[in-house]
Amino acid sequence: MNTGKWIVTLFAGIALPLGASSEALTEVDEIVERANLAAYYSGEDGRSEARMMIEDSQGRRQLRQFTVLRRNEEPGGDQDYMVFFSRPSDVRGTVFLVAKHMDRDDDRWLYLPGLDLVRRISASDKRTSFVGSHFYYEDVSGRNPALDEHRLVETTDAHYVLESTPRDPAAVEFVRYVTRVDRETFLPMKTEYYDGQDRVYRVMEVAQVEDVQGYPTATRSLISMPLEGGSTLMEFRSIEYDVGLPEDIFSERYLRQPPTRWLQRDGG
């Protein structure tokens, strides 16, 4: 199965309008495909501002503030992402670029302005911390569902409950994960990751959904770590879809020279 990329995301949007048909589906491939579109492909492109509050196991907090640009090559297909950090001062000017591919690993680069260095993020590092948060680099563009086996384990009044297991267990830190997909919107609302002792060690939840230009959109998401403690809350604002982002800004050139016009509200 190759159904694109999905799972609760940093930059989730929902493709279906609120109030869409809730007639139960029975094919897991169709549910996974629609969840992928719901989570990642609202509009032809998008721009949003975000604030990330990171709290470690000791209760210490760090703030990250940034702007996200996204462009689809086609619905359910390849995409480009850029994340421009503006706060705090020690990360200002840092830029993360993702070229998302459906047929191979995503390409990822991180620009560090203090060193004037562009660092390529290797595929082996994709499930490591994204700028000190509890999100992973892979969460930005989503995990390819073709890497996992999926099955529908339950359909409730509100959710499809899916269980996913990795095709290559040695490549990941989890043994399985369980996702609750909203039946109306197909947004993955909650994902629980299990370790080798069948303990939930990582939970991703959507805390708030708003309608943006007809696209129901996740505007608050939380990742928590039940075993080790700590969490990261992500909040989005000033979300815009179909802003007309040009293809050429998603390139290494714009890591060092951010496209200022497109980082401003109503920049198009």
Side-chain angles (χ1 to χ4, degrees):
M1 181 183 70
N2 185 0
T3 49
K5 305 196 175 188
W6 68 308
I7 296 302
V8 173
T9 171
L10 285 155
F11 316 116
I14 308 169
L16 294 180
L18 287 172
S21 171
S22 59
E23 182 177 353
L25 301 178
T26 58
E27 296 296 326
V28 68
D29 287 2
E30 182 177 0
I31 297 169
V32 170
E33 182 176 6
R34 293 181 71 166
N36 172 51
L37 292 173
Y40 284 92
Y41 289 91
S42 296
E44 295 183 356
D45 61 26
R47 174 198 174 281
S48 64
E49 297 174 5
R51 188 178 77 159
M52 192 160 61
M53 182 60 72
I54 306 164
E55 182 171 324
D56 69 15
S57 59
Q58 305 299 313
R60 295 171 296 200
R61 291 185 172 187
Q62 298 181 65
L63 175 71
R64 301 278 187 269
Q65 193 164 303
F66 50 86
T67 299
V68 183
L69 304 180
R70 168 185 55 84
R71 177 183 172 277
N72 305 335
E73 293 192 15
E74 60 182 72
D78 291 358
Q79 291 180 306
D80 296 309
Y81 289 83
M82 290 192 90
V83 182
F84 298 87
F85 287 84
S86 56
R87 293 182 61 190
S89 59
D90 62 334
V91 299
R92 182 179 298 128
T94 299
V95 184
F96 181 53
L97 169 64
V98 183
K100 176 177 173 179
H101 307 296
M102 308 313 298
D103 59 352
R104 61 186 189 277
D105 268 332
D106 299 346
D107 294 309
R108 303 176 179 86
W109 298 268
L110 188 68
Y111 174 63
L112 303 171
L115 302 174
D116 191 26
L117 173 70
V118 176
R119 181 167 71 90
R120 188 178 182 91
I121 307 298
S122 69
S124 61
D125 288 335
K126 64 185 179 183
R127 294 192 63 79
T128 60
S129 172
F130 175 63
V131 294
S133 75
H134 298 91
F135 287 94
Y136 295 156
Y137 286 104
E138 186 179 59
D139 294 328
V140 176
S141 52
R143 179 173 173 79
N144 189 335
L147 297 175
D148 304 318
E149 298 274 1
H150 311 281
R151 70 184 183 96
L152 175 63
V153 296
E154 184 181 7
T155 300
T156 70
D157 290 342
H159 299 105
Y160 297 108
V161 183
L162 309 182
E163 182 182 70
S164 305
T165 54
R167 296 180 187 275
D168 181 6
V172 294
E173 81 287 358
F174 61 83
V175 172
R176 64 186 177 99
Y177 58 88
V178 175
T179 305
R180 292 181 176 272
V181 177
D182 188 289
R183 283 182 53 179
E184 291 290 331
T185 64
F186 284 88
L187 179 68
M189 297 298 292
K190 183 176 184 179
T191 301
E192 297 173 305
Y193 290 86
Y194 290 78
D195 66 11
Q197 300 180 53
D198 207 34
R199 301 176 301 180
V200 176
Y201 70 94
R202 188 169 189 250
V203 181
M204 307 173 71
E205 298 174 88
V206 171
Q208 182 171 294
V209 175
E210 298 179 33
D211 186 295
V212 180
Q213 296 173 231
Y215 297 101
T217 300
T219 54
R220 298 186 81 206
S221 298
L222 178 72
I223 289 190
S224 56
M225 311 296 283
L227 297 183
E228 66 184 51
S231 63
T232 296
L233 175 66
M234 183 84 69
E235 298 177 299
F236 292 93
R237 64 178 185 176
S238 302
I239 301 168
E240 300 174 89
Y241 295 119
D242 298 319
V243 295
L245 297 173
E247 180 179 359
D248 66 352
I249 64 172
F250 296 92
S251 64
E252 188 169 333
R253 170 190 171 192
Y254 284 94
L255 292 174
R256 289 185 169 86
Q257 299 178 344
T260 306
R261 172 187 176 190
W262 300 104
L263 298 180
Q264 299 170 347
R265 296 178 192 179
D266 302 315

